[in-house]
Amino acid sequence: MPKKNKIIAVTNQKGGVGKTTTAINIATSMAAIKKSVLLIDLDPQGNASTGLGISEKDREIGAYEMLGEKKDIKKSIKSTQIPGLDIIPATVDLSAVEVELVDSKDRMKRLARYNSFFREKYNFIFIDCPPSLGLLTINALTAADSLLIPLQCEFFALEGLSHLKKTISRIKQNLNTTIYIEGILLTMYDKRNRISAEVKAEVIKYFGKDVFKTIIPRNVRLSEAPSHGLPAILYDINSTGSQAYISLAKEMIQRAK
């Protein structure tokens, strides 16, 4: 059964699908409708941290320290310019975790140690995963209740999804028996492009109710916003991309009822 306060991994092993854009904007949208939200940046590139305007000096304690020897998790959490939205930021140091934890018996469950704390403090916890199946992503999938899977409307999308399904199956067998798909989110949809419509039809055919009704359009405002250190919803709330993420937040709340 879905839990009231949820941990959701935003993941796809294929890069360039709008994963970080989705993590930033769904987190902001949930905060905008008065939910308390934490975004965990688990990608060493730190794009979610940049996209929320977190400076380098505010990243000195973040996700890397959180996954190390257990410390005060509160020191890793930073407030953002959005009321109700906190972040655990990332630095390139995160890329060393895989090597540093290689001999640790609990290396796949370092993030899950904090689940009780996260649930007590936040309605929604979103994890922005790296676009690969390494130790960081496995930590996210082990800790998460569910998966939000952005899927770009392009020719190779379904191929990537089949790999992800195999990964989910392995995680369910070995590490997290209760994880489920929160939803598959079609991104970068271009109604002028025939392939977008074909991918949409194919995904709905195979995954049915797992596919969100909300579709994220290809939108220049979504692309511009991170360079200003802003989620699209603050950069231009009236853009089609921003409105789509607000709609997604409402759909997710409705699904949980």
Side-chain angles (χ1 to χ4, degrees), residues 106-123:
D106 68 342
R107 63 187 178 278
M108 297 181 188
K109 298 182 178 180
R110 286 291 177 109
L111 181 58
R113 300 178 298 183
Y114 302 105
N115 278 9
S116 295
F117 171 82
F118 292 149
R119 286 194 218 283
E120 284 169 18
K121 191 168 169 59
Y122 300 100
N123 301 129

Side-chain angles (χ1 to χ4, degrees), residues 27-212:
T28 303
S29 296
M30 287 295 188
I33 55 176
K34 307 302 182 190
K35 301 296 178 183
S36 56
V37 184
L38 175 67
L39 176 57
I40 302 173
D41 189 351
L42 219 57
D43 188 338
Q45 295 179 81
N47 290 338
S49 305
T50 302
L52 284 174
I54 305 300
S55 67
E56 290 297 325
K57 68 178 177 63
D58 285 331
R59 301 189 205 185
E60 287 175 5
I61 301 176
Y64 173 74
E65 288 72 21
M66 172 184 68
L67 296 176
E69 292 312 310
K70 196 165 186 181
K71 295 178 182 174
D72 183 357
I73 184 63
K74 293 174 187 172
K75 291 181 180 176
S76 288
I77 298 171
K78 318 295 175 190
S79 57
T80 72
Q81 57 199 311
I82 297 114
L85 174 58
D86 290 343
I87 186 170
I88 296 179
T91 64
V92 73
D93 290 346
L94 256 184
S95 55
V97 162
E98 205 130 350
V99 175
E100 291 175 7
L101 296 184
V102 70
D103 294 324
S104 300
K105 289 181 180 177
D106 68 342
R107 63 187 178 278
M108 297 181 188
K109 298 182 178 180
R110 286 291 177 109
L111 181 58
R113 300 178 298 183
Y114 302 105
N115 278 9
S116 295
F117 171 82
F118 292 149
R119 286 194 218 283
E120 284 169 18
K121 191 168 169 59
Y122 300 100
N123 301 129
F124 287 94
I125 302 96
F126 293 99
I127 310 169
D128 185 31
C129 299
S132 61
L133 185 64
L135 187 60
L136 292 169
T137 298
I138 290 171
N139 262 272
L141 299 186
T142 303
D145 298 312
S146 63
L147 306 176
L148 196 171
I149 305 168
L151 193 71
Q152 186 179 355
C153 293
E154 53 136 56
F155 183 71
F156 293 111
L158 294 174
E159 190 178 284
L161 200 56
S162 67
H163 291 313
L164 187 61
K165 284 202 81 176
K166 287 176 188 171
T167 298
I168 295 165
S169 178
R170 288 200 295 268
I171 294 289
K172 286 190 83 154
Q173 284 173 14
N174 302 309
L175 291 167
N176 186 348
T177 57
T178 58
I179 197 168
Y180 63 96
I181 294 176
E182 185 75 28
I184 295 167
L185 177 68
L186 293 169
T187 63
M188 303 181 196
Y189 186 87
D190 186 346
K191 60 186 178 184
R192 300 164 300 177
N193 189 333
R194 193 182 69 191
I195 200 78
S196 284
E198 289 174 357
V199 169
K200 175 186 170 185
E202 201 73 9
V203 172
I204 291 171
K205 176 182 171 184
Y206 282 104
F207 296 99
K209 291 180 181 177
D210 280 340
V211 184
F212 286 113

Side-chain angles (χ1 to χ4, degrees), residues 5-21:
N5 288 0
K6 273 188 172 168
I7 302 171
I8 302 172
V10 183
T11 185
N12 190 326
Q13 286 162 243
K14 189 176 184 303
V17 297
K19 179 182 57 61
T20 298
T21 297

